[in-house]
Amino acid sequence: MQHHRYLENFLRALGKPLVVFVSRVGQLSEFIARALYNTVTPPFYPKLLLRQIVDIGFYSLPVVALTTIFAGMVIALQTHAGFSSYGAESAIASVVLISVTRELAPAFAGLMVAGRIGAAMAAEIGTMRVTEQIDALSTLSTNPYKYLVAPRLLAGVIVLPLLVLIGDVIGIFGGYIVAVYQLDFNPANYINATVNELQPIDIVTGVVKAAVFGFIISLLGCYNGYKSKGGAQGVGEATTNAVVAASIIILIFNYIITGLFFTK
């Protein structure tokens, strides 16, 4: 009997987290299905979409610009430090280009926007949930998914690629500044090397990543806010969960998408 009790306790301890995990996955899957359906079906709220585009895109531009320009500058310095031993300084322009467009600009933009916008979405919608404003929307025959979730999802998918394209230019410019003004490269030669090495796949990879990251950030921000409960503490937990989950999933999908594009 003692062994049976130990086995029962072990299975119970193992099964409870599993049941919770499966339940959370089911809730998230249902939320994704409802969000996608309500995003592509009328009625639409163009004013809310425009507001989210401004909030996500325009106000995130300074932090994305700062992170990408310094990322480009650091890559140029580190590449020069490593390649100068082998007389391969001419490859610095191509390394900066590929690093920024394929990896650094989309990853940094995604993480910065997740920290700024994902938290804001979770806090805003979570506050509406705990103060019963979402229930009031339903009472007034307004679909919360269409009014709160759909504009944020669309804005995230639209704006993140634009932010990454701007980040590409700024990051490459950061590498140019270091190469020309600190490492004494010829400006014309550096620009020619960058233009000659630029391939469409470099830009496409970053844009695809950005669209996926924008969807992830908006989805998890809305989901954690929508499902929050327990007053101010619940809103704080939803905000933290939105940022942490979005950051981890962004890094996972960054690897997956890179593998899809560049694994033969």
Side-chain angles (χ1 to χ4, degrees):
M1 294 294 295
Q2 191 77 11
H3 292 294
H4 288 296
R5 190 173 300 135
Y6 283 140
L7 180 60
E8 181 182 347
N9 292 336
F10 172 75
L11 291 176
R12 184 176 298 155
L14 184 65
K16 186 176 180 181
L18 183 61
V19 170
V20 171
F21 174 75
V22 172
S23 175
R24 294 283 176 84
V25 171
Q27 291 177 9
L28 180 59
S29 300
E30 180 189 10
F31 186 87
I32 292 172
R34 287 189 176 185
L36 290 175
Y37 174 78
N38 287 284
T39 300
V40 299
T41 56
F44 303 107
Y45 295 92
K47 289 185 178 180
L48 292 177
L49 175 61
L50 182 61
R51 176 189 167 190
Q52 292 302 322
I53 288 175
V54 172
D55 285 345
I56 298 173
F58 182 76
Y59 292 121
S60 297
L61 188 56
V63 67
V64 172
L66 280 173
T67 52
T68 51
I69 193 169
F70 282 106
M73 294 168 74
V74 167
I75 289 294
L77 278 178
Q78 292 283 22
T79 305
H80 182 265
F83 284 14
S84 59
S85 303
Y86 304 97
E89 295 93 336
S90 58
I92 291 177
S94 62
V95 172
V96 170
L97 171 71
I98 293 173
S99 300
V100 169
T101 55
R102 293 185 185 179
E103 298 297 332
L104 296 180
F108 281 1
L111 293 173
M112 292 299 105
V113 173
R116 183 184 173 276
I117 295 300
M121 287 182 182
E124 184 179 355
I125 296 177
T127 302
M128 295 181 70
R129 167 60 73 188
V130 299
T131 56
E132 300 182 350
Q133 294 180 53
I134 293 179
D135 297 330
L137 286 175
S138 301
T139 303
L140 296 171
S141 300
T142 300
N143 188 334
Y145 282 90
K146 290 188 178 296
Y147 191 81
L148 298 175
V149 179
R152 288 168 170 81
L153 280 181
L154 276 176
V157 174
I158 291 170
V159 167
L160 256 292
L162 298 177
L163 283 176
V164 166
L165 289 175
I166 296 171
D168 288 343
V169 176
I170 296 174
I172 293 169
F173 179 67
Y176 169 85
I177 291 174
V178 170
V180 172
Y181 295 103
Q182 187 170 347
L183 305 177
D184 295 326
F185 275 60
N186 181 278
N189 291 341
Y190 188 91
I191 292 173
N192 289 334
T194 301
V195 173
N196 292 334
E197 289 294 330
L198 181 62
Q199 300 293 328
I201 189 66
D202 301 330
I203 305 299
V204 171
T205 304
V207 169
V208 170
K209 286 182 178 182
V212 174
F213 297 167
F215 179 81
I216 291 170
I217 293 165
S218 302
L219 176 71
L220 292 177
C222 294
Y223 172 76
N224 284 282
Y226 199 87
K227 298 295 182 180
S228 64
K229 54 186 177 181
Q233 183 177 355
V235 175
E237 290 177 356
T239 302
T240 302
N241 292 338
V243 175
V244 172
S247 300
I248 293 172
I249 295 175
I250 282 171
L251 295 176
I252 293 172
F253 271 86
N254 185 49
Y255 173 79
I256 292 173
I257 296 171
T258 300
L260 291 175
F261 272 97
F262 299 106
T263 300
K264 295 183 181 179

